[in-house]
Amino acid sequence: MDKPKPLGSNPEEVKSELARRAELISTRLKRTIEFANKLGKRGRQLKEAVEYYIAKSFWLNWRTIAALTGPSMDYLTPLDSRIMSFREFITEWVGAQFKRQLEDYGIELPWYWKYWEEETKWWHHSFELGIYLWRRTLNIHNRGPTPEERKWLEEKYPGWEENFGRYWDLYAKNYIEGRPPLPKTAPLLCNMCQVPLISIKPGRHVVIYQKEINGRIYNFCSPVCMWIFEQEVERYKGHMTYVDRMAAMKIKLSPEALTNIERLWDEIIWNMGFTEAGEAGLDPTNGAWALLYKEKDPEYQKRIAKWMEA
């Protein structure tokens, strides 16, 4: 799949692209189920392994889909071209199809299904907040939602304003005050799926799941990623994320980078392969979306006052 970007410039293009992605995902999962089912017929021990294989496959596919298609659908596609929300797409076009495929073979849903259903309501919103903040480390041009897009998000995801709108308000406040929001650190990455640990669950701050093995702390974005890791500890325990390698000084940095945060960020970006000026992810509007809050959103100042008091 491609990196997050608009799915199309009109509803017809968006519908066609969604159909293409749904077909790719469904075909991949169907092949996994068919292969696993053949193995499962050879004995109970293999049947249990098959159930794990299917659960693992669906979850890691979900992480990729949510990271790429979620922001594309709900944030980057023009408002007048959106034909449904990401949650509607993933539950109706992917999740429902996956359930039917499992039922056809008499295989039970993964144990985490209820947790997954809840994640479809919030995870990609949290992820979008993170990739916007850490946009300098990505070759993804990203922007914040406009006031009109926020109304759409609240309609599709009741509670979005309370749970995620506050962060966009504060990002906008920084822009308006001449301080574009940029982080001062590198994000932690999940030791299983490799996504940044930026999962802001509704009503809570960032949630990180951890496991210690021989003095090393492993970080996970969800109980499911930690569960997968625990099933195959020997396979995964030696793997180091990009941030792990940087912290262990396995990525070459100059002496200046160790004392100068701006230089450190530049070298992190260079090491990720984005070496040309302007090539790393940018806000193509240069914060113009934030100015719309001040100019066209009469509730903006009230919300800022509320968030600052919280």
Side-chain angles (χ1 to χ4, degrees):
M1 290 185 183
D2 297 329
K3 62 188 179 183
K5 63 182 180 181
L7 296 183
S9 58
N10 59 64
E12 290 72 25
E13 289 182 359
V14 171
K15 185 175 182 179
S16 176
E17 176 61 17
L18 287 178
R20 184 186 73 84
R21 295 192 183 199
E23 180 64 24
L24 285 173
I25 297 163
S26 294
T27 299
R28 183 185 305 162
L29 291 173
K30 182 179 180 181
R31 288 173 179 170
T32 297
I33 294 170
E34 289 176 344
F35 174 72
N37 184 62
K38 290 179 181 179
L39 291 179
K41 292 179 179 179
R42 299 181 182 179
R44 179 170 179 76
Q45 185 175 3
L46 279 177
K47 183 176 183 297
E48 293 175 353
V50 161
E51 291 173 351
Y52 164 69
Y53 178 64
I54 291 173
K56 174 185 176 181
S57 177
F58 181 84
W59 184 260
L60 296 182
N61 272 282
W62 154 245
R63 267 294 174 263
T64 302
I65 298 164
L68 298 181
T69 305
S72 294
M73 287 189 68
D74 286 352
Y75 291 88
L76 303 182
T77 296
L79 189 58
D80 58 4
S81 296
R82 299 179 192 180
I83 61 174
M84 65 177 69
S85 70
F86 172 67
R87 183 168 191 266
E88 291 167 335
F89 165 72
I90 200 67
T91 56
E92 297 171 15
W93 291 29
V94 178
Q97 175 72 7
F98 179 67
K99 288 178 68 174
R100 287 193 294 269
Q101 290 171 342
L102 291 182
E103 289 170 358
D104 289 343
Y105 289 100
I107 300 173
E108 294 184 0
L109 287 169
W111 63 268
Y112 55 73
W113 195 253
K114 291 294 184 182
Y115 181 87
W116 172 77
E117 290 179 325
E118 284 300 308
E119 269 211 2
T120 64
K121 301 175 184 177
W122 62 267
W123 190 85
H124 66 292
H125 299 303
S126 177
F127 184 74
E128 171 64 14
L129 279 168
I131 61 173
Y132 182 80
L133 184 64
W134 272 280
R135 60 193 178 278
R136 286 195 64 207
T137 64
L138 301 168
N139 192 15
I140 300 171
H141 290 184
N142 207 343
R143 63 168 178 80
T146 66
E148 287 302 312
E149 289 171 334
R150 287 175 64 139
K151 293 178 183 177
W152 182 89
L153 286 162
E154 178 64 26
E155 176 186 337
K156 293 294 185 178
Y157 301 90
W160 182 93
E161 278 290 350
E162 184 72 21
N163 293 310
F164 303 103
R166 65 172 64 193
Y167 298 101
W168 289 109
D169 281 338
L170 295 174
Y171 284 1
K173 180 177 183 291
N174 285 341
Y175 256 121
I176 292 169
E177 294 175 353
R179 297 179 289 110
L182 290 170
K184 299 298 183 182
T185 62
L188 282 175
L189 301 178
C190 176
N191 281 104
M192 186 66 245
C193 69
Q194 309 303 305
V195 302
L197 294 175
I198 48 180
S199 299
I200 303 171
K201 297 184 72 172
R204 302 176 65 180
H205 295 297
V206 174
V207 177
I208 299 175
Y209 299 84
Q210 293 185 321
K211 185 176 184 65
E212 182 177 352
I213 299 177
N214 297 329
R216 179 183 172 186
I217 300 296
Y218 295 83
N219 300 293
F220 304 97
C221 66
S222 68
V224 186
C225 273
M226 186 166 71
W227 171 74
I228 294 172
F229 181 90
E230 290 172 338
Q231 309 311 303
E232 301 180 74
V233 172
E234 292 303 315
R235 177 179 181 180
Y236 294 117
K237 70 178 183 180
H239 181 268
M240 300 182 76
T241 68
Y242 176 83
V243 177
D244 288 334
R245 297 197 302 274
M246 184 179 68
M249 301 300 291
K250 293 182 179 294
I251 294 175
K252 187 176 181 180
L253 298 171
S254 70
E256 183 183 355
L258 302 180
T259 58
N260 185 312
I261 188 66
E262 292 185 3
R263 175 72 179 190
L264 175 63
W265 269 111
D266 284 340
E267 293 192 17
I268 289 173
I269 293 170
W270 297 340
N271 274 298
M272 295 179 77
F274 306 134
T275 58
E276 298 296 327
E279 187 176 348
L282 302 171
D283 181 334
T285 73
N286 197 27
W289 60 271
L291 297 178
L292 290 176
Y293 291 14
K294 183 178 180 181
E295 297 170 0
K296 297 185 177 183
D297 187 344
E299 299 298 316
Y300 168 67
Q301 293 297 343
K302 294 180 182 178
R303 293 198 306 269
I304 284 293
K306 177 182 177 181
W307 306 143
M308 296 303 288
E309 291 175 359

PDB file of all heavy atoms in Angstrom, residues 245-260:
ATOM      1  N   ARG A 245      18.099   1.567  18.029  1.00  0.00           N
ATOM      2  CA  ARG A 245      19.444   1.623  17.443  1.00  0.00           C
ATOM      3  C   ARG A 245      20.082   2.989  17.670  1.00  0.00           C
ATOM      4  O   ARG A 245      21.283   3.091  17.924  1.00  0.00           O
ATOM      5  CB  ARG A 245      19.380   1.307  15.945  1.00  0.00           C
ATOM      6  CG  ARG A 245      18.897  -0.096  15.632  1.00  0.00           C
ATOM      7  CD  ARG A 245      19.233  -0.525  14.217  1.00  0.00           C
ATOM      8  NE  ARG A 245      18.691   0.360  13.211  1.00  0.00           N
ATOM      9  CZ  ARG A 245      17.471   0.265  12.706  1.00  0.00           C
ATOM     10  NH1 ARG A 245      16.652  -0.684  13.153  1.00  0.00           N
ATOM     11  NH2 ARG A 245      17.049   1.095  11.775  1.00  0.00           N
ATOM     12  N   MET A 246      19.269   4.020  17.589  1.00  0.00           N
ATOM     13  CA  MET A 246      19.790   5.367  17.821  1.00  0.00           C
ATOM     14  C   MET A 246      20.233   5.523  19.274  1.00  0.00           C
ATOM     15  O   MET A 246      21.321   6.044  19.559  1.00  0.00           O
ATOM     16  CB  MET A 246      18.723   6.403  17.481  1.00  0.00           C
ATOM     17  CG  MET A 246      19.205   7.846  17.588  1.00  0.00           C
ATOM     18  SD  MET A 246      17.906   9.022  17.132  1.00  0.00           S
ATOM     19  CE  MET A 246      16.761   8.786  18.496  1.00  0.00           C
ATOM     20  N   ALA A 247      19.390   5.036  20.219  1.00  0.00           N
ATOM     21  CA  ALA A 247      19.723   5.143  21.640  1.00  0.00           C
ATOM     22  C   ALA A 247      20.966   4.329  21.992  1.00  0.00           C
ATOM     23  O   ALA A 247      21.726   4.698  22.890  1.00  0.00           O
ATOM     24  CB  ALA A 247      18.536   4.696  22.486  1.00  0.00           C
ATOM     25  N   ALA A 248      21.162   3.213  21.283  1.00  0.00           N
ATOM     26  CA  ALA A 248      22.325   2.361  21.539  1.00  0.00           C
ATOM     27  C   ALA A 248      23.556   2.823  20.766  1.00  0.00           C
ATOM     28  O   ALA A 248      24.577   2.131  20.748  1.00  0.00           O
ATOM     29  CB  ALA A 248      21.991   0.917  21.173  1.00  0.00           C
ATOM     30  N   MET A 249      23.450   3.992  20.122  1.00  0.00           N
ATOM     31  CA  MET A 249      24.550   4.572  19.352  1.00  0.00           C
ATOM     32  C   MET A 249      24.976   3.673  18.197  1.00  0.00           C
ATOM     33  O   MET A 249      26.132   3.666  17.794  1.00  0.00           O
ATOM     34  CB  MET A 249      25.747   4.877  20.265  1.00  0.00           C
ATOM     35  CG  MET A 249      25.435   5.836  21.406  1.00  0.00           C
ATOM     36  SD  MET A 249      24.851   7.460  20.815  1.00  0.00           S
ATOM     37  CE  MET A 249      26.347   8.115  20.088  1.00  0.00           C
ATOM     38  N   LYS A 250      24.042   2.890  17.674  1.00  0.00           N
ATOM     39  CA  LYS A 250      24.328   2.064  16.510  1.00  0.00           C
ATOM     40  C   LYS A 250      24.081   2.825  15.211  1.00  0.00           C
ATOM     41  O   LYS A 250      24.348   2.321  14.123  1.00  0.00           O
ATOM     42  CB  LYS A 250      23.488   0.782  16.553  1.00  0.00           C
ATOM     43  CG  LYS A 250      23.864  -0.162  17.686  1.00  0.00           C
ATOM     44  CD  LYS A 250      23.047  -1.433  17.648  1.00  0.00           C
ATOM     45  CE  LYS A 250      23.444  -2.379  18.776  1.00  0.00           C
ATOM     46  NZ  LYS A 250      24.822  -2.887  18.621  1.00  0.00           N
ATOM     47  N   ILE A 251      23.512   4.016  15.329  1.00  0.00           N
ATOM     48  CA  ILE A 251      23.342   4.909  14.190  1.00  0.00           C
ATOM     49  C   ILE A 251      24.347   6.038  14.361  1.00  0.00           C
ATOM     50  O   ILE A 251      24.393   6.697  15.399  1.00  0.00           O
ATOM     51  CB  ILE A 251      21.904   5.462  14.130  1.00  0.00           C
ATOM     52  CG1 ILE A 251      20.931   4.318  13.844  1.00  0.00           C
ATOM     53  CG2 ILE A 251      21.773   6.551  13.069  1.00  0.00           C
ATOM     54  CD1 ILE A 251      19.482   4.719  13.888  1.00  0.00           C
ATOM     55  N   LYS A 252      25.148   6.255  13.374  1.00  0.00           N
ATOM     56  CA  LYS A 252      26.245   7.213  13.497  1.00  0.00           C
ATOM     57  C   LYS A 252      25.718   8.637  13.578  1.00  0.00           C
ATOM     58  O   LYS A 252      25.003   9.108  12.700  1.00  0.00           O
ATOM     59  CB  LYS A 252      27.197   7.069  12.306  1.00  0.00           C
ATOM     60  CG  LYS A 252      28.463   7.904  12.447  1.00  0.00           C
ATOM     61  CD  LYS A 252      29.415   7.643  11.296  1.00  0.00           C
ATOM     62  CE  LYS A 252      30.691   8.462  11.455  1.00  0.00           C
ATOM     63  NZ  LYS A 252      31.633   8.213  10.332  1.00  0.00           N
ATOM     64  N   LEU A 253      26.084   9.320  14.654  1.00  0.00           N
ATOM     65  CA  LEU A 253      25.731  10.722  14.847  1.00  0.00           C
ATOM     66  C   LEU A 253      27.004  11.517  15.103  1.00  0.00           C
ATOM     67  O   LEU A 253      27.971  11.001  15.663  1.00  0.00           O
ATOM     68  CB  LEU A 253      24.776  10.879  16.037  1.00  0.00           C
ATOM     69  CG  LEU A 253      23.412  10.189  15.935  1.00  0.00           C
ATOM     70  CD1 LEU A 253      22.687  10.269  17.271  1.00  0.00           C
ATOM     71  CD2 LEU A 253      22.563  10.813  14.835  1.00  0.00           C
ATOM     72  N   SER A 254      26.986  12.759  14.711  1.00  0.00           N
ATOM     73  CA  SER A 254      28.157  13.604  14.935  1.00  0.00           C
ATOM     74  C   SER A 254      28.196  14.062  16.387  1.00  0.00           C
ATOM     75  O   SER A 254      27.160  14.082  17.069  1.00  0.00           O
ATOM     76  CB  SER A 254      28.100  14.826  14.016  1.00  0.00           C
ATOM     77  OG  SER A 254      27.061  15.706  14.439  1.00  0.00           O
ATOM     78  N   PRO A 255      29.367  14.445  16.904  1.00  0.00           N
ATOM     79  CA  PRO A 255      29.447  14.972  18.276  1.00  0.00           C
ATOM     80  C   PRO A 255      28.524  16.171  18.476  1.00  0.00           C
ATOM     81  O   PRO A 255      27.943  16.343  19.551  1.00  0.00           O
ATOM     82  CB  PRO A 255      30.922  15.360  18.412  1.00  0.00           C
ATOM     83  CG  PRO A 255      31.633  14.449  17.458  1.00  0.00           C
ATOM     84  CD  PRO A 255      30.703  14.314  16.289  1.00  0.00           C
ATOM     85  N   GLU A 256      28.376  16.987  17.442  1.00  0.00           N
ATOM     86  CA  GLU A 256      27.511  18.163  17.550  1.00  0.00           C
ATOM     87  C   GLU A 256      26.061  17.768  17.797  1.00  0.00           C
ATOM     88  O   GLU A 256      25.331  18.436  18.534  1.00  0.00           O
ATOM     89  CB  GLU A 256      27.604  19.004  16.275  1.00  0.00           C
ATOM     90  CG  GLU A 256      26.777  20.283  16.335  1.00  0.00           C
ATOM     91  CD  GLU A 256      26.815  21.059  15.035  1.00  0.00           C
ATOM     92  OE1 GLU A 256      27.562  20.645  14.113  1.00  0.00           O
ATOM     93  OE2 GLU A 256      26.099  22.071  14.936  1.00  0.00           O
ATOM     94  N   ALA A 257      25.637  16.654  17.195  1.00  0.00           N
ATOM     95  CA  ALA A 257      24.246  16.221  17.337  1.00  0.00           C
ATOM     96  C   ALA A 257      23.911  15.839  18.770  1.00  0.00           C
ATOM     97  O   ALA A 257      22.753  15.901  19.179  1.00  0.00           O
ATOM     98  CB  ALA A 257      23.969  15.040  16.411  1.00  0.00           C
ATOM     99  N   LEU A 258      24.919  15.444  19.537  1.00  0.00           N
ATOM    100  CA  LEU A 258      24.683  15.018  20.913  1.00  0.00           C
ATOM    101  C   LEU A 258      24.458  16.191  21.856  1.00  0.00           C
ATOM    102  O   LEU A 258      24.001  16.009  22.989  1.00  0.00           O
ATOM    103  CB  LEU A 258      25.862  14.175  21.401  1.00  0.00           C
ATOM    104  CG  LEU A 258      26.168  12.921  20.566  1.00  0.00           C
ATOM    105  CD1 LEU A 258      27.357  12.180  21.142  1.00  0.00           C
ATOM    106  CD2 LEU A 258      24.952  12.011  20.481  1.00  0.00           C
ATOM    107  N   THR A 259      24.751  17.395  21.387  1.00  0.00           N
ATOM    108  CA  THR A 259      24.582  18.576  22.241  1.00  0.00           C
ATOM    109  C   THR A 259      23.673  19.633  21.627  1.00  0.00           C
ATOM    110  O   THR A 259      23.328  20.607  22.284  1.00  0.00           O
ATOM    111  CB  THR A 259      25.953  19.226  22.534  1.00  0.00           C
ATOM    112  OG1 THR A 259      26.584  19.575  21.293  1.00  0.00           O
ATOM    113  CG2 THR A 259      26.855  18.262  23.301  1.00  0.00           C
ATOM    114  N   ASN A 260      23.276  19.428  20.369  1.00  0.00           N
ATOM    115  CA  ASN A 260      22.449  20.414  19.669  1.00  0.00           C
ATOM    116  C   ASN A 260      21.203  19.723  19.137  1.00  0.00           C
ATOM    117  O   ASN A 260      21.290  18.900  18.227  1.00  0.00           O
ATOM    118  CB  ASN A 260      23.253  21.045  18.523  1.00  0.00           C
ATOM    119  CG  ASN A 260      22.491  22.162  17.822  1.00  0.00           C
ATOM    120  OD1 ASN A 260      21.325  22.008  17.460  1.00  0.00           O
ATOM    121  ND2 ASN A 260      23.164  23.290  17.616  1.00  0.00           N
TER     122      ASN A 260
END
